[in-house]
Amino acid sequence: MESLHRRVAQLFQETFNTEPAFIVRAPGRVNLLGEHVDYNDGFVLPAAIDRAVWIACSPSNTPHSTLMAADLSERVSFSSETISAKTDLAGKPLPHWAKYPVGCAWALNEAGHETPSINAVFTSDVPRGAGLSSSAAVEMAFISSFLALNGGRVDEAVSRPNIMTRAKLGQRAENQYVGVNCGIMDQFASACGKRDHALFLDCRSLEWQTVPLPEDVAIVVADTAVPRSLSDSAYNERRSACEEAARLLGAKSLRDVTVADFQRNKNKMPELVARRAQHVVDEIQRTEQSVFLLKQGNVRAFGRLMNECHESLRDLYEVSCPELDVMVNIACSLDGCYGARLTGAGFGGCTVNLVDHNEAPKFAQDLAERYIRETNKNPSVYICRADDGAGVV
Ligand code: GLA
């Protein structure tokens, strides 16, 4: 959004008394299909969205870096000496928000890229804690900023293999520095997004392709206003159940188990583990099918797979919550809705809806009104556009 571009540039000027060298933008994402399968080597189908993190940055030309989180009105300074200790210059532990950018410097250093000292201001209109990957957007924005400041390597950094390397560096920062055990999907989508396209990624080979979204459909994202609670521990539990299922089936990962294999062998595992695994094997198959449907423009059949995905996440994987179910049920009863489901890790956050383009404004309004009536909670509903991935603007 143009106004965030201006806002970071202006705040940078006010904070550091000079013009920024670069303005960088990195989007959030919504996932259309392929939920909780990235860490099972499966297929995912996210899209980057037109809500993003914006950074204004310059080399600091001193030994230390200063970051300002404009939305929190907080700033932190660190240096190459304090990165590993996860502290600021005064030796105090980094605030949680700062671990994402500093973690990116750490991951780049670990991978042999030098990172210059940086002055940066950042802001975002990706809602936080809503399952739209606001953290991955921060990571991709800072990795792009560090690479841009590293001098003349911008073209190299955005070539196709390097773009995936950036996503992996962001994931490494989140896994090892911040300490969240996420898969690759969110960083990938933020790095590789393409306007008006979904992205189909094989999380095993990391091969990917862009898939055009039909012009006559809109992606509507509805935030339940339920913050994603308990999500880290429950997420890790789901991952362990998947690993256990693969082990019991003698497979490297659930990617190697077909739906038919699974049906034949599911009695080899505890009932709960079988339910978790069933979601994953079905979802991998659904996502593979969905890409053919999308390419044919068969939005109705694609939407039905989204609905099936929600039921599976609700009943088998058990990562929904009452408000997400209410939001999906209302959506499915409204005109113009092809499919609706929770998106992201679950346990609160957002639903994604595929809606006839002409019906989208009325759909968004009716969905919000009925959700308020049924839950007494105040949702935010966005009509989104699939957008380009991270880069210097
Ligand atoms: C979170 C993680 C992703 C993915 C999704 C669930 O967004 O960061 O890697 O596992 O949950 O599909």
Side-chain angles (χ1 to χ4, degrees):
M1 221 190 290
E2 198 47 36
S3 58
L4 292 192
H5 185 159
R6 266 205 308 276
R7 177 170 144 82
V8 275
Q10 196 177 334
L11 282 172
F12 187 94
Q13 172 80 47
E14 287 165 13
T15 313
F16 299 109
N17 279 320
T18 174
E19 296 276 316
F22 292 105
I23 304 282
V24 174
R25 171 196 158 276
R29 68 96 188 93
V30 67
N31 189 20
L32 298 177
L33 267 177
E35 211 66 90
H36 285 283
V37 300
D38 61 349
Y39 52 84
N40 290 293
D41 287 346
F43 300 104
V44 293
L45 189 68
I49 55 174
D50 52 351
R51 293 188 153 249
V53 168
W54 289 80
I55 300 182
C57 60
S58 282
S60 78
N61 301 322
T62 70
H64 60 259
S65 296
T66 299
L67 308 175
M68 178 170 155
D71 304 331
L72 303 172
S73 302
E74 282 186 33
R75 66 164 88 181
V76 99
S77 294
F78 68 98
S79 75
S80 55
E81 255 92 84
T82 66
I83 292 180
S84 303
K86 301 187 192 174
T87 63
D88 66 9
L89 285 182
K92 280 207 306 221
L94 289 173
H96 185 69
W97 63 265
K99 288 189 188 155
Y100 295 89
V102 181
C104 290
W106 172 84
L108 282 159
N109 295 160
E110 291 286 300
H113 298 273
E114 271 182 39
T115 49
S117 301
I118 181 176
N119 284 335
V121 175
F122 71 103
T123 183
S124 169
D125 64 358
V126 187
R128 274 193 299 276
L132 299 177
S133 298
S134 55
S135 321
V138 170
E139 290 152 12
M140 289 305 101
F142 272 95
I143 286 186
S144 303
S145 301
F146 283 120
L147 289 173
L149 291 173
N150 225 351
R153 298 175 56 161
V154 183
D155 291 346
E156 196 189 315
V158 297
S159 71
R160 202 171 162 102
N162 286 344
I163 225 175
M164 185 56 88
T165 307
R166 282 200 280 167
K168 288 204 286 193
L169 287 167
Q171 185 196 15
R172 184 160 182 204
E174 183 142 350
N175 291 168
Q176 295 180 28
Y177 197 87
V178 183
V180 175
N181 205 10
C182 62
I184 187 70
M185 171 171 72
D186 306 344
Q187 291 77 10
F188 157 75
S190 181
C192 302
K194 182 169 175 197
R195 174 159 280 206
D196 297 329
H197 287 68
L199 309 166
F200 180 56
L201 170 69
D202 177 339
C203 299
R204 172 167 275 170
S205 67
L206 297 185
E207 276 165 26
W208 57 284
Q209 51 176 285
T210 57
V211 186
L213 288 164
E215 272 172 22
D216 47 357
V217 295
I219 299 173
V220 181
V221 171
D223 188 343
T224 57
V226 177
R228 294 179 39 208
S229 56
L230 278 179
S231 50
D232 284 356
S233 56
Y235 186 86
N236 290 339
E237 271 168 38
R238 298 302 183 280
R239 286 187 75 139
S240 309
C242 294
E243 282 156 23
E244 186 181 346
R247 192 168 43 77
L248 293 170
L249 294 172
K252 188 156 168 265
S253 77
L254 288 176
R255 163 70 177 274
D256 300 311
V257 180
T258 64
V259 172
D261 284 343
F262 175 77
Q263 288 304 339
R264 264 196 308 277
N265 294 303
K266 65 180 178 196
N267 53 5
K268 291 187 183 153
M269 54 188 103
E271 197 268 339
L272 183 67
V273 175
R275 269 194 281 143
R276 305 296 190 241
Q278 181 167 358
H279 164 73
V280 173
V281 294
D282 291 350
E283 180 74 353
I284 290 175
Q285 188 184 59
R286 263 195 293 274
T287 310
E288 244 187 314
Q289 283 171 354
S290 76
V291 175
F292 291 104
L293 297 171
L294 200 58
K295 285 180 178 166
Q296 288 164 357
N298 191 345
V299 186
R300 264 176 217 291
F302 184 92
R304 277 196 294 273
L305 294 182
M306 291 175 71
N307 296 339
E308 280 176 24
C309 168
H310 184 77
E311 285 163 22
S312 176
L313 289 167
R314 182 190 65 203
D315 300 337
L316 298 175
Y317 220 61
E318 296 181 283
V319 294
S320 190
C321 67
E323 292 84 353
L324 283 165
D325 295 338
V326 168
M327 192 72 97
V328 166
N329 288 340
I330 300 171
C332 290
S333 74
L334 294 175
D335 285 345
C337 180
Y338 296 111
R341 64 176 205 83
L342 75 85
T343 189
F347 313 104
C350 291
T351 66
V352 58
N353 307 269
L354 211 60
V355 181
D356 181 295
H357 195 269
N358 297 326
E359 303 276 357
K362 179 157 184 345
F363 170 89
Q365 192 181 352
D366 290 354
L367 181 61
E369 280 171 13
R370 278 192 44 195
Y371 181 79
I372 295 171
R373 249 184 282 141
E374 290 190 29
T375 64
N376 252 326
K377 292 198 159 64
N378 208 353
S380 307
V381 183
Y382 318 105
I383 300 175
C384 290
R385 179 163 192 191
D387 212 342
D388 289 329
V392 173
V393 185

